[in-house]
Amino acid sequence: MAAMASLTRRKASSLLLLSRRNLCNSTSSDVFTFSLHSLTSSSRGFASSSGSDDNDVVVIGGGPGGYVAAIKAAQLGLKTTCIEKRGTLGGTCLNVGCIPSKALLHSSHMYHEATHSFASHGVKFPSVEVDLPAMMAQKDKAVSNLTRGIEGLFKKNKVNYVKGYGKFISPSEVSVDNVEGGNTVVKGKNIIVATGSDVKSLPGITIDEKRIVSSTGALALSEIPKKLVVIGAGYIGLEMGSVWGRLGSEVTVVEFAGDIVPTMDGEVRKQFQRALEKQKMKFMLKTKVVSVDSSGNGVKLTLEPAAGGERTTLEADVVLVSAGRVPFTAGLGLDKIGVETDKVGRIIVNERFATNVFGVFAIGDVIPGPMLAHKAEEDGVACVEFIAGKEGHVDYDLVPGVVYTHPEVASVGKTEEQVKAIGVDYRVGKFPFMANSRAKAIDDAEGIVKILAEKETDKILGVHIMSPNAGELIHEAVLALHYGASSEDIARTCHAHPTMSEALKEAAMATYDKPIHI
C-alpha cells in the first residue's frame, strides 16, 4: 500500500511539475512581444561597417554562460559570434575561478592526506614535501587544456570567435577592441550580455595581487604564506583558506556576519564550522576590518567588533579579500543604448532574459540570481531557446550549491530556517556518515545528510549534505526535487552497497519512517 501511495504521489507530482513548467513558460503580452520582436528582427537593416556579416546571435562574454549559449545557438542553426576580452575562453570560472581552485584543492588535499592519513592505511613515506611550482604547473595545464577544448567546440559547432573587449554602439552593433590591436564591429539581430562578475572591493583596501590578493592572486602565490588572513567566510574564502591551510599556512577567517556561509542551513553550518576548526582554521565572526596596511614587511589589519567597540590588530603575510562578487556591466555601453540596470549594476530582464531594449538579452552573473557557473549555463541554454522560438526553463529554486572544502557541503532547495519562515509543517530526517559502511571503511566519515519534507504530503523541500564528495551526491536530491519526489520515494529506491549514497537513502527513511543502521 505504501508503494502504491508513493506511486500515486509521483504521478501527481509529475502533473504538478508540468503545470509549473507551463506556468513558468507562459508569459504576459509584453514578454511575448519581446520574443516576437527578437524573432522577426531578421528583416531589420544595418549600417555598413568594417566588421563581420550579420549574425543571428552575438554573445558578449565567453564564460560558462556565454560559451554555452553560443554553442547552443549554433546547434539550433543560428549564425553565432562570441566575443571574449581575455583571449581565452571559459571566463572567470575556468581561468581564475572554479577550475584552478578545484585543481589546487585536490592537490593540497592529496598532500594533506599523505601527511596525515596515509600511515594509518599502511602507506608510509620517509618524507613528504610540497613542490609548489609543480602544483601550480598542474593547475595551469588543466586550465590550458580546457580552454583549448572550448575553442575546439567552437570550431566543431561553427561558432565565430572574436578576441577582444566588446561594447555596444547600438542595440544591434558591438564595437570590439581586438586583443591583437585594431577594431571590429560585430552586428547581430540578437545580442546576449554574458560578461559575468568581478571581485567585490572593500573601501580603503587596495588589492595588489601580491600581499593583498583577490581569489585570482590567491591562485598564483609563489610561496606558502606563514600567516594568511581571509576577509569573508563565503564559499571562495573557505575554499582558498583550505588550500593554503593544508599546505601549512596559519589561516584566520574574518567575517562581519555572525555566521560562516549565511545561506547554508543553520544546523549543517555549525557542524561545518567545527569541521574546519578541527583543521586548525580560525574564525573571527562579527568582526569588521577597519583598515589594511601593507607598507611594512608584512600586512597589518585593524579590526573592531561589527557592533562597534575596542579596536585590535592582526598581522599576516598575505590577506585574501573574499567579500563576494559584483556584476561586470560597467564599460559595456549599456547606458548608451538605454538598458536598465538596478542599483548594484545587475541588468533587469524578463522571464525570457530580454532587457527593455529590443533585441538585447542578458544571462548569468549580470542578472539577479545565484552567481554560479552552472546557473549561468542554464540561463544561456534557455535564453537561446527562447530566441530560436522554443521554450526554455530554469528553476532557480533548484540550483545546487557546493562548497568544495573537505568535507564538502552541498545543498538544494530550502533550509530549515526558510521552511520555518514560510510556515509549512515539516519533518526532518538525518543520518550521520559515522553510520555509513563505505565512509567507515575508508576512514572518512565526518558529515551528515539532512532532509526536510512537507509533513502532510512527504514532498521533499530541501536536502543538505556534508561529506566527502557531497557535490556528487547532491544530484540525486536535485533530480528528486525536480520531479516533486517524496522522501519515501528515495527511501524505497535501491542504492548500491557499500556506497556513500546510502546515507541519503537512510536519511530519507528517517524522514518518513525510521532508518535501519542507526
Side-chain angles (χ1 to χ4, degrees), residues 200 202 213-215 230-238 320-324:
K200 181 180 181 181
L202 292 175
V213 301
S214 68
S215 55
V230 180
I231 303 176
Y235 286 36
I236 298 172
L238 296 180
L320 166 59
V321 180
S322 184

Side-chain angles (χ1 to χ4, degrees), residues 290-301:
V290 178
S291 64
V292 177
D293 181 8
S294 60
S295 60
N297 293 328
V299 184
K300 182 178 290 186
L301 298 89

Side-chain angles (χ1 to χ4, degrees), residues 21 76 110 149 322 324 330 498 501 508:
R21 281 177 171 166
L76 292 174
M110 291 175 71
S322 184
S501 62

Side-chain angles (χ1 to χ4, degrees), residues 114-300:
T115 55
H116 290 77
S117 302
F118 278 12
S120 64
H121 290 272
V123 181
K124 297 184 178 181
F125 299 94
S127 65
V128 180
E129 62 183 30
V130 176
D131 184 342
L132 191 58
M135 192 177 288
M136 291 295 179
Q138 192 280 332
K139 171 207 66 170
D140 293 340
K141 181 181 177 182
V143 170
S144 177
N145 287 341
L146 286 168
T147 55
R148 286 200 302 268
I150 299 172
E151 287 196 36
L153 291 172
F154 271 18
K155 290 176 182 177
K156 176 183 176 182
N157 291 281
K158 297 184 172 134
V159 175
N160 184 40
Y161 175 27
V162 177
K163 299 179 181 180
Y165 191 102
K167 55 186 175 184
F168 285 96
I169 53 176
S170 81
S172 59
E173 296 173 300
V174 179
S175 173
V176 182
D177 293 328
N178 299 318
V179 169
E180 296 179 353
N183 179 271
T184 303
V185 175
V186 180
K187 299 177 289 186
K189 303 175 183 71
N190 301 280
I191 300 178
I192 302 173
V193 180
T195 47
S197 59
D198 203 354
V199 173
K200 181 180 181 181
S201 59
L202 292 175
I205 300 177
T206 302
I207 295 174
D208 59 20
E209 299 297 13
K210 293 179 181 178
R211 287 189 292 172
I212 303 176
V213 301
S214 68
S215 55
T216 300
L219 289 165
L221 295 178
S222 58
E223 59 183 26
I224 300 168
K226 184 177 178 181
K227 292 184 178 181
L228 172 69
V229 171
V230 180
I231 303 176
Y235 286 36
I236 298 172
L238 296 180
E239 288 179 5
M240 295 313 303
S242 290
V243 167
W244 295 107
R246 293 168 186 169
L247 297 179
S249 296
E250 180 183 313
V251 180
T252 302
V253 180
V254 180
E255 170 59 50
F256 184 82
D259 299 294
I260 67 171
V261 198
T263 57
M264 192 179 287
D265 180 88
E267 181 180 13
V268 175
R269 180 199 305 129
K270 289 176 183 177
Q271 291 197 33
F272 181 41
Q273 183 175 333
R274 286 197 294 270
L276 295 176
E277 287 171 339
K278 287 179 185 177
Q279 299 169 28
K280 299 183 179 179
M281 191 177 289
K282 299 176 183 178
F283 292 92
M284 298 181 68
L285 305 177
K286 297 183 181 179
T287 303
K288 177 182 178 181
V289 178
V290 178
S291 64
V292 177
D293 181 8
S294 60
S295 60
N297 293 328
V299 184
K300 182 178 290 186

Side-chain angles (χ1 to χ4, degrees), residues 42-79:
S42 58
S43 61
R44 184 169 46 180
F46 296 97
S48 62
S49 76
S50 60
S52 61
D53 296 334
D54 295 0
N55 295 275
D56 296 307
V57 174
V58 173
V59 183
I60 306 175
Y67 85 73
V68 167
I71 291 172
K72 185 64 178 179
Q75 289 175 343
L76 292 174
L78 302 175
K79 184 176 180 181

